[in-house]
C-alpha cells in the first residue's frame, strides 16, 4: 500500500461531496457490471467492500435482505448514509471496515461480496490476503470491479495514479480467487486497465456419495 489507511481515508473524505460527479465513464461502466453480476436473492446478505458513497450498496439494497457497506472514509460513508435516507433504504449499514478486516461479526452470514474501484490501493500480497478474507466470509459469489492490467499499461496514458494506486494484473487476481476455491466464471474488459471479475465458490462434493 503506497499510502497508509489513514492517509487514504483522509484523502477520500476531503472529496466525498464531489466524488460521484468526478468519476469516469469507465468507472460507471464497471459499477454497472458489478451490479449486474452480483444478482443477490431477496434473502441474501451482501458485503460491499470499499463501499464509498454507496454506488454498489444502494443499487443492490432493493434486491437483497441486507447490505453491509464497509469503507475507511467517514466522509464517504456519510454521503452514502444521506443517499440511503433520501431513497428510503433502511437495509443498508454503512460502517468502518478494511479489506483485510471488514469488521463483520463472526456469526454474520454473507452470501455475496462486491467491491468496485478500491482494491487497487493494496499491494499484490495485500490483495491476496483481502481475497482470502472475502472467501472466509463464506460467500458463494464475489464480484470485483477494479483497475487491473490486461497488458502492460501505456506509461504515457495510465488510467490510474501511480503515486497512490498499485493495480495488479488480471492474471494475479484470477489466481488469487482460484487459490481460495473459487471458479472465475467471467472476466469483463471495460478498458485495457479496468476489469470486472466474477468468482463463484466451487461446491465441495467430497462427502456426497
Amino acid at each position: 500500500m503506497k499510502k497508509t489507511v489513514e492517509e487514504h481515508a483522509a484523502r477520500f473524505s476531503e472529496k466525498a461531496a464531489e466524488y460521484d460527479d468526478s468519476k469516469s465513464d469507465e468507472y460507471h461502466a464497471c459499477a454497472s457490471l458489478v451490479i449486474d453480476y452480483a444478482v443477490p436473492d431477496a434473502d441474501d446478505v451482501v458485503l460491499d467492500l470499499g463501499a464509498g458513497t454507496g454506488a454498489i450498496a444502494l443499487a443492490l439494497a432493493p434486491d437483497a435482505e441486507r447490505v453491509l457497506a464497509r469503507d475507511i472514509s467517514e466522509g464517504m460513508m456519510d454521503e452514502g448514509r444521506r443517499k440511503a435516507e433520501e431513497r428510503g433504504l433502511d437495509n443498508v449499514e454503512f460502517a468502518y471496515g478494511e479489506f483485510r478486516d471488514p469488521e463483520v461479526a463472526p456469526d454474520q452470514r454473507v452470501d455475496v461480496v462486491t467491491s468496485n474501484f478500491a482494491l487497487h490501493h493494496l499491494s499484490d500480497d495485500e490483495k491476496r490476503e483481502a481475497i482470502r478474507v472475502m472467501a472466509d466470509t463464506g460467500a458463494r459469489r464475489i464480484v470485483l470491479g477494479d483497475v487491473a492490467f490486461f497488458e502492460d499499461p501505456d506509461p504515457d496514458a495510465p488510467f490510474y495514479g501511480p503515486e497512490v494506486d498499485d493495480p495488479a494484473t488480471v492474471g494475479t487476481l484470477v489466481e488469487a480467487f482460484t487459490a481460495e476455491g473459487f471458479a472465475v466464471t467471467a472476466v469483463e474488459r471495460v478498458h485495457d486497465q479496468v476489469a470486472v471479475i466474477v468468482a463463484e465458490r466451487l461446491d465441495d462434493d467430497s462427502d456426497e456419495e
Side-chain angles (χ1 to χ4, degrees):
M1 185 182 293
K2 296 191 175 183
K3 289 184 179 290
T4 66
V5 171
E6 293 77 14
E7 287 171 331
H8 279 301
R11 184 168 66 92
F12 281 107
S13 290
E14 286 175 3
K15 60 183 183 179
E18 296 82 28
Y19 184 79
D20 291 347
D21 295 330
S22 70
K23 304 312 290 179
S24 65
D25 290 343
E26 289 84 357
Y27 169 90
H28 291 294
C30 197
S32 293
L33 284 168
V34 171
I35 293 162
D36 289 346
Y37 277 112
V39 289
D41 294 333
D43 59 352
D44 278 346
V45 176
V46 179
L47 172 62
D48 186 35
L49 295 171
T53 63
I56 306 301
L58 300 178
L60 295 179
D63 298 320
E65 176 182 303
R66 189 178 180 206
V67 180
L68 309 174
R70 297 292 185 263
D71 203 272
I72 60 172
S73 165
E74 282 298 330
M76 298 284 273
M77 288 189 287
D78 283 344
E79 282 294 304
R81 293 182 187 109
R82 180 185 61 77
K83 291 194 291 183
E85 184 175 358
E86 283 181 354
R87 300 179 193 186
L89 297 170
D90 59 4
N91 65 333
V92 184
E93 172 194 281
F94 283 90
Y96 184 92
E98 302 176 22
F99 273 107
R100 292 167 293 161
D101 184 10
E103 301 200 17
V104 174
D107 60 348
Q108 171 63 62
R109 174 173 54 87
V110 173
D111 303 290
V112 179
V113 176
T114 58
S115 183
N116 191 55
F117 265 60
L119 191 67
H120 62 272
H121 295 300
L122 305 182
S123 70
D124 284 2
D125 284 344
E126 290 169 333
K127 291 184 188 76
R128 293 185 185 96
E129 184 182 348
I131 289 170
R132 189 173 307 121
V133 170
M134 295 179 198
D136 286 346
T137 65
R140 70 175 184 275
R141 179 181 304 122
I142 301 172
V143 186
L144 172 66
D146 205 13
V147 182
F149 302 145
F150 284 90
E151 53 202 43
D152 291 338
D154 180 351
D156 295 324
F159 189 83
Y160 65 106
E163 69 283 356
V164 293
D165 301 328
D166 194 6
T169 65
V170 172
T172 295
L173 297 171
V174 169
E175 288 171 2
F177 282 117
T178 56
E180 298 303 325
F182 282 75
V184 172
T185 57
V187 177
E188 294 274 4
R189 185 174 185 143
V190 177
H191 178 281
D192 288 348
Q193 301 173 37
V194 179
V196 173
I197 299 172
V198 184
E200 304 275 354
R201 186 180 296 275
L202 292 171
D203 291 333
D204 183 1
D205 297 326
S206 58
D207 293 331
E208 294 184 6
E209 296 183 358

